[in-house]
């Protein structure tokens, strides 16, 4: 058989490619395949991060006026006497932040809250109680009257703060931000839960897109570093709330 001689510019049996002739395979030269792979990898990582945040798996960025990141320990709340408390004093503790009422069907949960508080407070657990009268007017009393009612009827010993709004233009920033990070996901599928949702929607319609909290005894669990862990609607069994608290201690 005749001997085949490769034409100039090619290897024997393998024509030289344009990429090679352009220096793509040479050290330091352009490498299109690599560049495409890196671009795709970066885009995939960026897409995953965006999807993670858009689905609510990461909370909204909370920043100070200096642009520094905040935790929920950076908030200030108002005491019953009108003075203020920096939540930094609870640094290193697990917090259960609750909006409450004295005349609600869920008011007996004060018993459960106090029981959980007594059981775990020596392990670094606090319940922070914020009365609110925005749900069918179920906490009309003064701050002192509410405090007397809770301590006398339920024996509560955990901190109770000044009555606040949790919805509307005057919503307390702490509750507005907690609820924005973990929005309402429903009361459940029981007949009682569905009936409460209908009643709550009618009550909260006036708040429009600032209806952050749907009913009394909504609870937010915050870890020792000031990060929001979980939100509990009032229909969640208190035994489940206690289990979640215990996991953080």
């Amino acid at each position: 058989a005749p001997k085949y001689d490769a034409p100039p510019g090619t290897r024997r049996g393998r024509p030289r490619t344009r990429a090679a002739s352009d220096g793509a395979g040479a050290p330091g030269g352009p490498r299109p395949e690599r560049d495409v792979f890196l671009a795709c990898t970066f885009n995939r990582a960026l897409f995953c991060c965006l999807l993670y945040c858009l689905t609510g798996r990461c909370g909204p960025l909370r920043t100070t006026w200096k642009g520094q990141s905040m935790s929920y320990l950076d908030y200030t709340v108002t005491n019953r006497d009108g003075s203020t408390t920096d939540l930094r004093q609870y640094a290193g503790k697990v917090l259960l932040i609750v909006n409450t009422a004295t005349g609600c069907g869920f008011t007996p949960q004060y018993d459960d809250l106090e029981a959980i508080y007594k059981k775990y407070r020596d392990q670094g657990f606090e319940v922070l109680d914020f009365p609110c009268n925005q749900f069918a007017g179920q906490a009309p009393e003064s701050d002192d009257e509410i405090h007397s009612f809770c301590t006398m009827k339920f024996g509560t010993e955990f901190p109770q703060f000044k009555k606040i709004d949790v919805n509307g233009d005057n919503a307390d920033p702490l509750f507005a931000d907690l609820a924005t990070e973990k929005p309402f996901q429903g009361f459940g599928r029981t007949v009682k839960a569905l009936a409460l949702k209908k009643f709550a929607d009618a009550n909260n319609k006036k708040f429009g897109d600032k209806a952050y909290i749907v009913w009394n005894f909504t609870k937010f669990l915050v870890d020792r570093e000031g990060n929001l862990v979980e939100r509990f609607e009032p229909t969640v069994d208190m035994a489940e709330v206690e289990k979640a608290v215990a996991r953080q201690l």
Side-chain angles (χ1 to χ4, degrees):
K3 183 177 180 181
Y4 170 74
D5 291 322
T10 66
R11 295 182 181 179
R12 186 182 182 92
R14 293 183 60 189
R16 191 176 182 187
T17 64
R18 180 179 296 275
S21 65
D22 291 339
R31 299 178 63 182
E33 295 86 358
R34 180 198 61 183
D35 295 341
V36 170
F37 172 79
L38 291 176
C40 290
T41 301
F42 173 80
N43 288 337
R44 176 179 290 183
L46 180 61
F47 173 78
C48 290
C49 289
L50 290 172
L51 183 63
Y52 187 77
C53 290
L54 289 173
T55 53
R57 298 292 301 278
C58 68
L61 179 63
R62 299 184 305 280
T63 58
T64 66
W65 65 275
K66 293 182 179 180
Q68 299 173 339
S69 62
M70 294 179 66
S71 84
Y72 287 108
L73 298 177
D74 293 313
Y75 287 69
T76 299
V77 295
T78 305
N79 301 312
R80 295 195 319 278
D81 62 4
S83 62
T84 58
T85 292
D86 186 344
L87 293 187
R88 274 288 162 194
Q89 75 175 51
Y90 298 109
K93 294 188 176 184
V94 174
L95 307 178
L96 191 65
I97 301 173
V98 193
N99 65 287
T100 60
T102 53
C104 178
F106 295 103
T107 299
Q109 288 188 2
Y110 266 122
D111 275 331
D112 301 294
L113 291 169
E114 181 63 22
I116 297 172
Y117 176 64
K118 285 183 177 178
K119 184 174 181 179
Y120 295 109
R121 63 181 172 183
D122 290 341
Q123 299 179 44
F125 172 64
E126 291 285 348
V127 175
L128 306 186
D129 176 7
F130 294 85
C132 176
N133 193 41
Q134 289 189 300
F135 304 101
Q138 294 180 344
E141 305 92 342
S142 69
D143 292 304
D144 289 340
E145 289 170 337
I146 290 173
H147 186 64
S148 295
F149 170 82
C150 293
T151 54
M152 293 176 64
K153 186 173 180 61
F154 300 104
T156 57
E157 297 180 2
F158 47 77
Q160 186 177 74
F161 297 91
K162 189 174 185 62
K163 186 161 59 174
I164 61 170
D165 285 350
V166 295
N167 290 328
D169 292 336
N170 297 319
D172 186 271
L174 174 62
F175 276 83
D177 288 351
L178 286 166
T180 299
E181 181 169 349
K182 284 197 177 293
F184 177 70
Q185 298 295 322
F187 288 129
R189 303 299 302 173
T190 65
V191 173
K192 181 179 179 180
L194 294 175
L196 177 60
K197 178 61 166 56
K198 184 176 181 180
F199 187 72
D201 284 347
N203 181 82
N204 297 332
K205 186 177 181 179
K206 58 183 174 288
F207 301 121
D209 60 358
K210 295 182 180 179
Y212 305 108
I213 306 298
V214 184
W215 204 249
N216 300 308
F217 288 87
T218 300
K219 307 165 192 71
F220 295 94
L221 183 61
V222 175
D223 68 15
R224 295 182 188 274
E225 287 73 46
N227 303 306
L228 178 57
V229 176
E230 202 161 347
R231 170 177 176 157
F232 305 96
E233 302 306 329
T235 49
V236 174
D237 192 292
M238 289 300 294
E240 294 303 314
V241 176
E242 180 177 354
K243 290 177 184 178
V245 168
R247 286 194 294 269
Q248 296 300 316
L249 296 171

